[in-house]
Amino acid sequence: NHTPADSSLKMGEVHAAREAAAAKAMEVAADAQPAWDETGGPARAAMLEKAADLYEAATPKLAALLVREAGKTLDNAIADIREAVDFLRYYAVAARAQFDGPTLLPGPTGERNEISLHGRGVFVCISPWNFPLAIFTGQVAAALAAGNSVVAKPAEQTPLVAFEAVKLLPEAGIPPAVLNVLPGDGARLGKLLLAHPALAGVAFTGSNETAAIINRALAARSGAIPALIAETGGMNAMIVDSSALPEQAVRDALASAFDSAGQRCSAARILFVQEDVADRVIEMLKGAMAELAIGDPMDYATDVGPVIDEEARAGLEAHKARMRAEAKTICELALPAPCARGSFVAPAAYELSSLAPLSREVFGPILHVVRFAGGRLEEVCAALNATGYGLTRGLHTRIERTAAEVRRLVRVGNLYVNRNQIG
C-alpha cells in the first residue's frame, strides 16, 4: 500500500485473501461462536474495555497509520481513534446490561418464564476506508459484544490500519478464532462470504449501490435469512436562512464540506442559502475557502489532505470539469506544487440553479450552492427528501419556528442546528 499524500512512499505489503482462506475463516468463526456466546456479556465487556485501553496506549502508532495510509489530517486521525475507543466502551456497557444471563418475566399462572439474549452466529463486517479504525472497530465490537463471532473485510485501501487493530483485540483476551480478518477484493470475497451457509448477519458501511448488491445477494440465499445492518452515504445539505449569523454559517459550512477532504458520509454536499443573504454568504464562503491550507496531512497546519486514491481523484476532477460547464464557479483553489505527488483534489464550490444536476453523492471536497426564496423552505425540504438519502441535514437559523418546521419536514437521521454537521 502507498500513502495517498505521496505515491512514492510505500506503507507496507498486503497479501489478498483467497477463496480458500475466506471459506476457512467462516468455518473457524462458526466453530468458535457457541463458546464465545456462552462466555457471557460481563466477560466480553471486560475484554472490550481492555481493548479500549490498548487502543489509547497505541495512539501514536495508530494515528501515524491513519495519516499515512488513509490520508487523514492529525486532528482527524486522533478523532478516529477516540471514536473507536468510544465504540469499544459503548458496546461493553451494552453487553454487560443486556447479556448478563436470563431475566425473569412475570408468570401470571405461576409458571417460570425467562428471557435471555444470544449471538446469532457469524457476522461478516464490511467497513469503509474513510473511518478505517472507528467504523471497522464499531462493527466488530457490536458483533462481539452480542456473542457473535466475526469475519471482517476491511476496505481495500486501508488494510494496515485494520491489521494493527486486530493485533490489539486478542491482546485484550478476545480469542483469535472469534475474530478473523480477510483483506482483499470486496466483490470477490463478498460473493463467497455472503453465500456461505454459516452466515448469520452482515454489518456494512459504504455506498448505496454496494448495500443494494449485498441485499440482493442475501435475498437469493436458501435457508435462514441473515440480518443486514447497513449505513450508507447521503446527499447531505445545509440550509441557511436570512436570520442566520453569516460568520457562523460559513464557518460550519466550511468544516462540513471540506474537513477530511469532504470524505465523510455526513459531509455537506449542498448549501441552500436564502436569496436575501446569498450574495453576502457566498462572498464570505469564497474568502474563507481561500484560507484553507492544502498539503501533507502529517503537517499540523494542513486543513485539507488528499482524497483516498487516484480513482477517487479522477472521478472528482471529472465532476469539477462538468460543473465548470454546467454551473457557476464560486471558487476553485489551486494545488500547491508538492501535492502533485499524491491524490489531491483542490476544494471547490459551484452555484447551481437546482438539485437537478446532482443524481448521486459526490464524495470529496466539492460544495454545491443553491439559492432559495424565503417562502419556499418546504419545497427545499421536499427536494432533499426526494433524493432518497436521509443521513444528515444542517440548519442555520435564529428562528425557533423555522427549526421546528424543518425538523418536521425532513426525513433524516441527524439534524444539526446552528453547528457543523460532521459530528
Side-chain angles (χ1 to χ4, degrees):
N1 267 25
H2 294 79
T3 177
D6 185 347
S7 59
S8 67
L9 180 59
K10 185 177 179 180
M11 292 291 302
E13 290 188 7
V14 181
H15 297 277
R18 298 185 182 276
E19 283 82 351
K24 181 67 173 175
M26 292 296 288
E27 292 162 13
V28 167
D31 289 344
Q33 191 271 332
W36 177 244
D37 187 51
E38 290 174 12
T39 300
R44 295 195 295 268
M47 296 178 207
L48 293 174
E49 287 165 344
K50 173 64 174 172
D53 293 338
L54 292 171
Y55 269 48
E56 289 191 318
T59 289
K61 185 172 188 178
L62 292 172
L65 260 182
L66 287 162
V67 172
R68 286 300 184 220
E69 188 179 40
K72 286 182 174 277
T73 57
L74 282 164
D75 57 342
N76 285 168
I78 296 299
D80 203 320
I81 297 166
R82 289 175 63 186
E83 186 173 347
V85 169
D86 283 348
F87 272 131
L88 288 163
R89 294 192 172 136
Y90 174 86
Y91 289 119
V93 170
R96 194 171 276 116
Q98 298 179 46
F99 292 84
D100 188 14
T103 299
L104 191 63
L105 297 176
T109 59
E111 78 280 7
R112 181 181 179 86
N113 296 324
E114 293 181 348
I115 185 170
S116 59
L117 299 180
H118 296 273
R120 295 172 62 99
V122 181
F123 254 78
V124 168
C125 295
I126 304 170
S127 52
W129 49 259
N130 64 333
F131 282 90
L133 185 67
I135 295 178
F136 173 86
T137 301
Q139 292 178 346
V140 167
L144 293 175
N148 300 288
S149 58
V150 171
V151 173
K153 215 302 287 181
E156 295 160 51
Q157 297 90 337
T158 52
L160 300 178
V161 172
F163 176 68
E164 288 301 323
V166 168
K167 287 201 302 188
L168 296 174
L169 293 169
E171 203 177 320
I174 295 166
V178 167
L179 175 56
N180 305 265
V181 178
L182 298 172
D185 178 66
R188 184 170 54 83
L189 290 173
K191 187 175 181 181
L192 188 149
L193 296 174
L194 297 178
H196 198 282
L199 180 70
V202 178
F204 170 77
T205 299
S207 70
N208 272 19
E209 292 87 350
T210 305
I213 291 169
I214 293 170
N215 191 39
R216 286 193 290 269
L218 295 178
R221 290 167 50 102
S222 300
I225 301 172
L228 171 59
I229 303 164
E231 182 200 13
T232 59
M235 196 81 80
N236 309 312
M238 178 178 285
I239 301 168
V240 178
D241 78 358
S242 59
S243 75
L245 187 65
E247 294 83 356
Q248 182 184 5
V250 168
R251 179 199 67 193
D252 292 342
L254 201 73
S256 299
F258 304 121
D259 188 86
S260 303
Q263 298 175 115
R264 295 195 189 211
C265 51
S266 56
R269 309 298 175 197
I270 306 149
L271 181 65
F272 274 99
V273 187
Q274 191 170 333
E275 57 189 14
D276 312 60
V277 294
D279 287 341
R280 184 181 177 196
V281 168
I282 289 170
E283 189 62 29
M284 196 177 290
L285 173 69
K286 186 176 179 179
M289 287 179 65
E291 298 299 313
L292 290 171
I294 312 160
D296 184 354
M298 193 63 86
D299 183 347
Y300 195 72
T302 294
D303 297 310
V304 181
V307 297
I308 191 62
D309 57 22
E310 194 58 26
E311 182 182 354
R313 189 201 67 78
L316 291 164
E317 290 296 347
H319 180 77
K320 287 170 74 172
R322 181 178 154 229
M323 288 296 99
R324 289 185 202 110
E326 298 180 11
K328 177 182 177 183
T329 300
I330 294 171
C331 180
E332 279 189 5
L333 298 185
L335 288 176
C339 293
R341 296 196 297 267
S343 52
F344 287 85
V345 173
Y350 305 96
E351 185 175 343
L352 306 175
S353 58
S354 74
L355 286 183
L358 302 177
S359 58
R360 64 192 302 269
E361 183 178 22
V362 179
F363 209 79
I366 301 171
L367 181 64
H368 309 87
V369 181
V370 180
R371 300 175 190 239
F372 72 96
R376 305 185 70 175
L377 186 59
E378 188 167 346
E379 293 176 35
V380 169
C381 294
L384 289 170
N385 290 340
T387 65
Y389 295 91
L391 189 68
T392 308
R393 299 280 181 267
L395 172 66
H396 273 263
T397 182
R398 285 187 275 186
I399 301 171
E400 190 69 39
R401 186 174 63 254
T402 300
E405 181 184 7
V406 171
R407 180 178 180 178
R408 178 180 64 84
L409 291 171
V410 297
R411 294 191 291 275
V412 67
N414 299 294
L415 174 62
Y416 297 104
V417 180
N418 293 337
R419 51 152 292 166
N420 73 58
Q421 63 188 58
I422 53 172

PDB file of all heavy atoms in Angstrom, residues 143-173:
ATOM      1  N   ALA A 143     -20.746  -6.703  17.135  1.00  0.00           N
ATOM      2  CA  ALA A 143     -20.995  -8.116  16.888  1.00  0.00           C
ATOM      3  C   ALA A 143     -20.426  -8.978  18.022  1.00  0.00           C
ATOM      4  O   ALA A 143     -21.086  -9.912  18.500  1.00  0.00           O
ATOM      5  CB  ALA A 143     -20.385  -8.520  15.555  1.00  0.00           C
ATOM      6  N   LEU A 144     -19.210  -8.678  18.446  1.00  0.00           N
ATOM      7  CA  LEU A 144     -18.589  -9.449  19.523  1.00  0.00           C
ATOM      8  C   LEU A 144     -19.336  -9.275  20.834  1.00  0.00           C
ATOM      9  O   LEU A 144     -19.549 -10.240  21.581  1.00  0.00           O
ATOM     10  CB  LEU A 144     -17.129  -9.039  19.695  1.00  0.00           C
ATOM     11  CG  LEU A 144     -16.167  -9.374  18.550  1.00  0.00           C
ATOM     12  CD1 LEU A 144     -14.786  -8.786  18.838  1.00  0.00           C
ATOM     13  CD2 LEU A 144     -16.085 -10.873  18.325  1.00  0.00           C
ATOM     14  N   ALA A 145     -19.754  -8.064  21.130  1.00  0.00           N
ATOM     15  CA  ALA A 145     -20.459  -7.793  22.390  1.00  0.00           C
ATOM     16  C   ALA A 145     -21.727  -8.627  22.498  1.00  0.00           C
ATOM     17  O   ALA A 145     -22.097  -9.084  23.587  1.00  0.00           O
ATOM     18  CB  ALA A 145     -20.790  -6.306  22.494  1.00  0.00           C
ATOM     19  N   ALA A 146     -22.401  -8.838  21.352  1.00  0.00           N
ATOM     20  CA  ALA A 146     -23.668  -9.573  21.342  1.00  0.00           C
ATOM     21  C   ALA A 146     -23.483 -11.089  21.281  1.00  0.00           C
ATOM     22  O   ALA A 146     -24.469 -11.824  21.183  1.00  0.00           O
ATOM     23  CB  ALA A 146     -24.516  -9.106  20.163  1.00  0.00           C
ATOM     24  N   GLY A 147     -22.226 -11.560  21.330  1.00  0.00           N
ATOM     25  CA  GLY A 147     -21.994 -13.001  21.341  1.00  0.00           C
ATOM     26  C   GLY A 147     -21.838 -13.629  19.978  1.00  0.00           C
ATOM     27  O   GLY A 147     -21.908 -14.852  19.846  1.00  0.00           O
ATOM     28  N   ASN A 148     -21.622 -12.800  18.955  1.00  0.00           N
ATOM     29  CA  ASN A 148     -21.352 -13.328  17.615  1.00  0.00           C
ATOM     30  C   ASN A 148     -19.853 -13.463  17.401  1.00  0.00           C
ATOM     31  O   ASN A 148     -19.055 -12.734  17.999  1.00  0.00           O
ATOM     32  CB  ASN A 148     -21.901 -12.375  16.546  1.00  0.00           C
ATOM     33  CG  ASN A 148     -23.394 -12.185  16.663  1.00  0.00           C
ATOM     34  OD1 ASN A 148     -24.169 -13.076  16.359  1.00  0.00           O
ATOM     35  ND2 ASN A 148     -23.812 -11.002  17.120  1.00  0.00           N
ATOM     36  N   SER A 149     -19.458 -14.356  16.522  1.00  0.00           N
ATOM     37  CA  SER A 149     -18.091 -14.345  16.010  1.00  0.00           C
ATOM     38  C   SER A 149     -18.082 -13.513  14.734  1.00  0.00           C
ATOM     39  O   SER A 149     -19.131 -13.197  14.172  1.00  0.00           O
ATOM     40  CB  SER A 149     -17.597 -15.766  15.759  1.00  0.00           C
ATOM     41  OG  SER A 149     -18.450 -16.439  14.850  1.00  0.00           O
ATOM     42  N   VAL A 150     -16.878 -13.139  14.275  1.00  0.00           N
ATOM     43  CA  VAL A 150     -16.764 -12.145  13.208  1.00  0.00           C
ATOM     44  C   VAL A 150     -15.781 -12.586  12.135  1.00  0.00           C
ATOM     45  O   VAL A 150     -14.705 -13.118  12.440  1.00  0.00           O
ATOM     46  CB  VAL A 150     -16.303 -10.781  13.789  1.00  0.00           C
ATOM     47  CG1 VAL A 150     -15.959  -9.794  12.680  1.00  0.00           C
ATOM     48  CG2 VAL A 150     -17.373 -10.203  14.704  1.00  0.00           C
ATOM     49  N   VAL A 151     -16.167 -12.344  10.890  1.00  0.00           N
ATOM     50  CA  VAL A 151     -15.231 -12.330   9.768  1.00  0.00           C
ATOM     51  C   VAL A 151     -15.271 -10.904   9.218  1.00  0.00           C
ATOM     52  O   VAL A 151     -16.314 -10.459   8.721  1.00  0.00           O
ATOM     53  CB  VAL A 151     -15.605 -13.357   8.684  1.00  0.00           C
ATOM     54  CG1 VAL A 151     -14.695 -13.194   7.461  1.00  0.00           C
ATOM     55  CG2 VAL A 151     -15.502 -14.770   9.235  1.00  0.00           C
ATOM     56  N   ALA A 152     -14.166 -10.187   9.361  1.00  0.00           N
ATOM     57  CA  ALA A 152     -14.127  -8.770   8.991  1.00  0.00           C
ATOM     58  C   ALA A 152     -13.413  -8.586   7.661  1.00  0.00           C
ATOM     59  O   ALA A 152     -12.342  -9.163   7.434  1.00  0.00           O
ATOM     60  CB  ALA A 152     -13.433  -7.958  10.077  1.00  0.00           C
ATOM     61  N   LYS A 153     -14.014  -7.790   6.763  1.00  0.00           N
ATOM     62  CA  LYS A 153     -13.423  -7.470   5.466  1.00  0.00           C
ATOM     63  C   LYS A 153     -13.180  -5.969   5.432  1.00  0.00           C
ATOM     64  O   LYS A 153     -14.078  -5.188   5.143  1.00  0.00           O
ATOM     65  CB  LYS A 153     -14.376  -7.897   4.341  1.00  0.00           C
ATOM     66  CG  LYS A 153     -13.667  -8.412   3.080  1.00  0.00           C
ATOM     67  CD  LYS A 153     -12.721  -7.428   2.447  1.00  0.00           C
ATOM     68  CE  LYS A 153     -13.445  -6.305   1.745  1.00  0.00           C
ATOM     69  NZ  LYS A 153     -12.479  -5.347   1.104  1.00  0.00           N
ATOM     70  N   PRO A 154     -11.944  -5.528   5.792  1.00  0.00           N
ATOM     71  CA  PRO A 154     -11.677  -4.082   5.770  1.00  0.00           C
ATOM     72  C   PRO A 154     -11.593  -3.558   4.344  1.00  0.00           C
ATOM     73  O   PRO A 154     -11.437  -4.328   3.385  1.00  0.00           O
ATOM     74  CB  PRO A 154     -10.313  -3.979   6.477  1.00  0.00           C
ATOM     75  CG  PRO A 154      -9.665  -5.305   6.254  1.00  0.00           C
ATOM     76  CD  PRO A 154     -10.780  -6.311   6.200  1.00  0.00           C
ATOM     77  N   ALA A 155     -11.674  -2.247   4.206  1.00  0.00           N
ATOM     78  CA  ALA A 155     -11.575  -1.626   2.880  1.00  0.00           C
ATOM     79  C   ALA A 155     -10.238  -1.969   2.231  1.00  0.00           C
ATOM     80  O   ALA A 155      -9.206  -2.066   2.913  1.00  0.00           O
ATOM     81  CB  ALA A 155     -11.729  -0.115   3.005  1.00  0.00           C
ATOM     82  N   GLU A 156     -10.254  -2.131   0.909  1.00  0.00           N
ATOM     83  CA  GLU A 156      -9.032  -2.474   0.179  1.00  0.00           C
ATOM     84  C   GLU A 156      -7.956  -1.401   0.331  1.00  0.00           C
ATOM     85  O   GLU A 156      -6.762  -1.696   0.275  1.00  0.00           O
ATOM     86  CB  GLU A 156      -9.358  -2.667  -1.296  1.00  0.00           C
ATOM     87  CG  GLU A 156     -10.264  -3.849  -1.583  1.00  0.00           C
ATOM     88  CD  GLU A 156     -10.945  -3.734  -2.941  1.00  0.00           C
ATOM     89  OE1 GLU A 156     -10.220  -3.509  -3.928  1.00  0.00           O
ATOM     90  OE2 GLU A 156     -12.183  -3.870  -3.006  1.00  0.00           O
ATOM     91  N   GLN A 157      -8.368  -0.141   0.549  1.00  0.00           N
ATOM     92  CA  GLN A 157      -7.410   0.957   0.633  1.00  0.00           C
ATOM     93  C   GLN A 157      -6.724   1.048   1.998  1.00  0.00           C
ATOM     94  O   GLN A 157      -5.683   1.691   2.130  1.00  0.00           O
ATOM     95  CB  GLN A 157      -8.103   2.292   0.337  1.00  0.00           C
ATOM     96  CG  GLN A 157      -8.675   2.404  -1.065  1.00  0.00           C
ATOM     97  CD  GLN A 157     -10.118   1.910  -1.149  1.00  0.00           C
ATOM     98  OE1 GLN A 157     -10.556   1.115  -0.312  1.00  0.00           O
ATOM     99  NE2 GLN A 157     -10.861   2.377  -2.140  1.00  0.00           N
ATOM    100  N   THR A 158      -7.323   0.443   3.052  1.00  0.00           N
ATOM    101  CA  THR A 158      -6.788   0.653   4.400  1.00  0.00           C
ATOM    102  C   THR A 158      -6.661  -0.642   5.211  1.00  0.00           C
ATOM    103  O   THR A 158      -7.102  -0.702   6.364  1.00  0.00           O
ATOM    104  CB  THR A 158      -7.683   1.655   5.169  1.00  0.00           C
ATOM    105  OG1 THR A 158      -9.063   1.210   5.094  1.00  0.00           O
ATOM    106  CG2 THR A 158      -7.563   3.058   4.609  1.00  0.00           C
ATOM    107  N   PRO A 159      -6.052  -1.680   4.678  1.00  0.00           N
ATOM    108  CA  PRO A 159      -5.939  -2.923   5.444  1.00  0.00           C
ATOM    109  C   PRO A 159      -4.933  -2.861   6.582  1.00  0.00           C
ATOM    110  O   PRO A 159      -5.036  -3.620   7.554  1.00  0.00           O
ATOM    111  CB  PRO A 159      -5.506  -3.939   4.385  1.00  0.00           C
ATOM    112  CG  PRO A 159      -4.779  -3.127   3.370  1.00  0.00           C
ATOM    113  CD  PRO A 159      -5.495  -1.808   3.328  1.00  0.00           C
ATOM    114  N   LEU A 160      -3.928  -1.978   6.477  1.00  0.00           N
ATOM    115  CA  LEU A 160      -2.892  -1.932   7.510  1.00  0.00           C
ATOM    116  C   LEU A 160      -3.443  -1.411   8.826  1.00  0.00           C
ATOM    117  O   LEU A 160      -3.070  -1.880   9.908  1.00  0.00           O
ATOM    118  CB  LEU A 160      -1.719  -1.065   7.037  1.00  0.00           C
ATOM    119  CG  LEU A 160      -1.009  -1.532   5.758  1.00  0.00           C
ATOM    120  CD1 LEU A 160       0.097  -0.565   5.374  1.00  0.00           C
ATOM    121  CD2 LEU A 160      -0.448  -2.934   5.943  1.00  0.00           C
ATOM    122  N   VAL A 161      -4.344  -0.437   8.754  1.00  0.00           N
ATOM    123  CA  VAL A 161      -4.996   0.063   9.979  1.00  0.00           C
ATOM    124  C   VAL A 161      -5.773  -1.068  10.641  1.00  0.00           C
ATOM    125  O   VAL A 161      -5.682  -1.275  11.861  1.00  0.00           O
ATOM    126  CB  VAL A 161      -5.930   1.253   9.655  1.00  0.00           C
ATOM    127  CG1 VAL A 161      -6.756   1.630  10.887  1.00  0.00           C
ATOM    128  CG2 VAL A 161      -5.129   2.457   9.183  1.00  0.00           C
ATOM    129  N   ALA A 162      -6.530  -1.828   9.845  1.00  0.00           N
ATOM    130  CA  ALA A 162      -7.303  -2.944  10.393  1.00  0.00           C
ATOM    131  C   ALA A 162      -6.383  -3.991  11.003  1.00  0.00           C
ATOM    132  O   ALA A 162      -6.676  -4.554  12.074  1.00  0.00           O
ATOM    133  CB  ALA A 162      -8.158  -3.568   9.288  1.00  0.00           C
ATOM    134  N   PHE A 163      -5.263  -4.264  10.355  1.00  0.00           N
ATOM    135  CA  PHE A 163      -4.306  -5.252  10.856  1.00  0.00           C
ATOM    136  C   PHE A 163      -3.786  -4.854  12.238  1.00  0.00           C
ATOM    137  O   PHE A 163      -3.716  -5.679  13.156  1.00  0.00           O
ATOM    138  CB  PHE A 163      -3.151  -5.396   9.868  1.00  0.00           C
ATOM    139  CG  PHE A 163      -2.055  -6.308  10.330  1.00  0.00           C
ATOM    140  CD1 PHE A 163      -2.261  -7.677  10.449  1.00  0.00           C
ATOM    141  CD2 PHE A 163      -0.800  -5.800  10.650  1.00  0.00           C
ATOM    142  CE1 PHE A 163      -1.247  -8.524  10.876  1.00  0.00           C
ATOM    143  CE2 PHE A 163       0.216  -6.636  11.074  1.00  0.00           C
ATOM    144  CZ  PHE A 163      -0.002  -8.006  11.187  1.00  0.00           C
ATOM    145  N   GLU A 164      -3.437  -3.581  12.402  1.00  0.00           N
ATOM    146  CA  GLU A 164      -2.934  -3.123  13.703  1.00  0.00           C
ATOM    147  C   GLU A 164      -4.028  -3.211  14.775  1.00  0.00           C
ATOM    148  O   GLU A 164      -3.753  -3.556  15.924  1.00  0.00           O
ATOM    149  CB  GLU A 164      -2.408  -1.687  13.603  1.00  0.00           C
ATOM    150  CG  GLU A 164      -1.098  -1.561  12.853  1.00  0.00           C
ATOM    151  CD  GLU A 164       0.036  -2.369  13.484  1.00  0.00           C
ATOM    152  OE1 GLU A 164       0.104  -2.443  14.726  1.00  0.00           O
ATOM    153  OE2 GLU A 164       0.853  -2.933  12.734  1.00  0.00           O
ATOM    154  N   ALA A 165      -5.258  -2.915  14.398  1.00  0.00           N
ATOM    155  CA  ALA A 165      -6.366  -3.000  15.357  1.00  0.00           C
ATOM    156  C   ALA A 165      -6.573  -4.445  15.801  1.00  0.00           C
ATOM    157  O   ALA A 165      -6.759  -4.731  16.998  1.00  0.00           O
ATOM    158  CB  ALA A 165      -7.647  -2.448  14.738  1.00  0.00           C
ATOM    159  N   VAL A 166      -6.518  -5.355  14.845  1.00  0.00           N
ATOM    160  CA  VAL A 166      -6.785  -6.757  15.146  1.00  0.00           C
ATOM    161  C   VAL A 166      -5.668  -7.372  15.992  1.00  0.00           C
ATOM    162  O   VAL A 166      -5.894  -8.324  16.732  1.00  0.00           O
ATOM    163  CB  VAL A 166      -7.011  -7.540  13.833  1.00  0.00           C
ATOM    164  CG1 VAL A 166      -7.013  -9.030  14.055  1.00  0.00           C
ATOM    165  CG2 VAL A 166      -8.334  -7.117  13.225  1.00  0.00           C
ATOM    166  N   LYS A 167      -4.475  -6.823  15.921  1.00  0.00           N
ATOM    167  CA  LYS A 167      -3.400  -7.295  16.795  1.00  0.00           C
ATOM    168  C   LYS A 167      -3.687  -6.959  18.257  1.00  0.00           C
ATOM    169  O   LYS A 167      -3.260  -7.675  19.163  1.00  0.00           O
ATOM    170  CB  LYS A 167      -2.064  -6.683  16.377  1.00  0.00           C
ATOM    171  CG  LYS A 167      -1.506  -7.256  15.090  1.00  0.00           C
ATOM    172  CD  LYS A 167      -0.015  -7.031  14.945  1.00  0.00           C
ATOM    173  CE  LYS A 167       0.372  -5.588  14.979  1.00  0.00           C
ATOM    174  NZ  LYS A 167       1.799  -5.363  14.646  1.00  0.00           N
ATOM    175  N   LEU A 168      -4.416  -5.875  18.481  1.00  0.00           N
ATOM    176  CA  LEU A 168      -4.692  -5.441  19.853  1.00  0.00           C
ATOM    177  C   LEU A 168      -5.828  -6.222  20.496  1.00  0.00           C
ATOM    178  O   LEU A 168      -5.835  -6.437  21.708  1.00  0.00           O
ATOM    179  CB  LEU A 168      -5.025  -3.941  19.869  1.00  0.00           C
ATOM    180  CG  LEU A 168      -3.903  -2.992  19.429  1.00  0.00           C
ATOM    181  CD1 LEU A 168      -4.423  -1.564  19.359  1.00  0.00           C
ATOM    182  CD2 LEU A 168      -2.722  -3.077  20.377  1.00  0.00           C
ATOM    183  N   LEU A 169      -6.816  -6.659  19.712  1.00  0.00           N
ATOM    184  CA  LEU A 169      -8.003  -7.294  20.303  1.00  0.00           C
ATOM    185  C   LEU A 169      -7.699  -8.642  20.960  1.00  0.00           C
ATOM    186  O   LEU A 169      -8.174  -8.891  22.079  1.00  0.00           O
ATOM    187  CB  LEU A 169      -9.098  -7.407  19.235  1.00  0.00           C
ATOM    188  CG  LEU A 169      -9.648  -6.045  18.775  1.00  0.00           C
ATOM    189  CD1 LEU A 169     -10.522  -6.199  17.547  1.00  0.00           C
ATOM    190  CD2 LEU A 169     -10.424  -5.363  19.886  1.00  0.00           C
ATOM    191  N   PRO A 170      -6.903  -9.530  20.362  1.00  0.00           N
ATOM    192  CA  PRO A 170      -6.540 -10.752  21.090  1.00  0.00           C
ATOM    193  C   PRO A 170      -5.726 -10.472  22.345  1.00  0.00           C
ATOM    194  O   PRO A 170      -5.807 -11.208  23.331  1.00  0.00           O
ATOM    195  CB  PRO A 170      -5.716 -11.537  20.055  1.00  0.00           C
ATOM    196  CG  PRO A 170      -6.172 -11.026  18.740  1.00  0.00           C
ATOM    197  CD  PRO A 170      -6.459  -9.575  18.963  1.00  0.00           C
ATOM    198  N   GLU A 171      -4.953  -9.391  22.295  1.00  0.00           N
ATOM    199  CA  GLU A 171      -4.178  -8.996  23.475  1.00  0.00           C
ATOM    200  C   GLU A 171      -5.104  -8.660  24.645  1.00  0.00           C
ATOM    201  O   GLU A 171      -4.725  -8.773  25.810  1.00  0.00           O
ATOM    202  CB  GLU A 171      -3.307  -7.786  23.114  1.00  0.00           C
ATOM    203  CG  GLU A 171      -2.095  -7.597  23.989  1.00  0.00           C
ATOM    204  CD  GLU A 171      -1.222  -6.436  23.543  1.00  0.00           C
ATOM    205  OE1 GLU A 171      -1.043  -6.266  22.315  1.00  0.00           O
ATOM    206  OE2 GLU A 171      -0.730  -5.705  24.410  1.00  0.00           O
ATOM    207  N   ALA A 172      -6.338  -8.252  24.313  1.00  0.00           N
ATOM    208  CA  ALA A 172      -7.325  -7.938  25.357  1.00  0.00           C
ATOM    209  C   ALA A 172      -8.062  -9.179  25.839  1.00  0.00           C
ATOM    210  O   ALA A 172      -8.935  -9.078  26.706  1.00  0.00           O
ATOM    211  CB  ALA A 172      -8.323  -6.917  24.820  1.00  0.00           C
ATOM    212  N   GLY A 173      -7.752 -10.345  25.253  1.00  0.00           N
ATOM    213  CA  GLY A 173      -8.375 -11.584  25.704  1.00  0.00           C
ATOM    214  C   GLY A 173      -9.382 -12.177  24.739  1.00  0.00           C
ATOM    215  O   GLY A 173      -9.918 -13.261  24.989  1.00  0.00           O
TER     216      GLY A 173
END
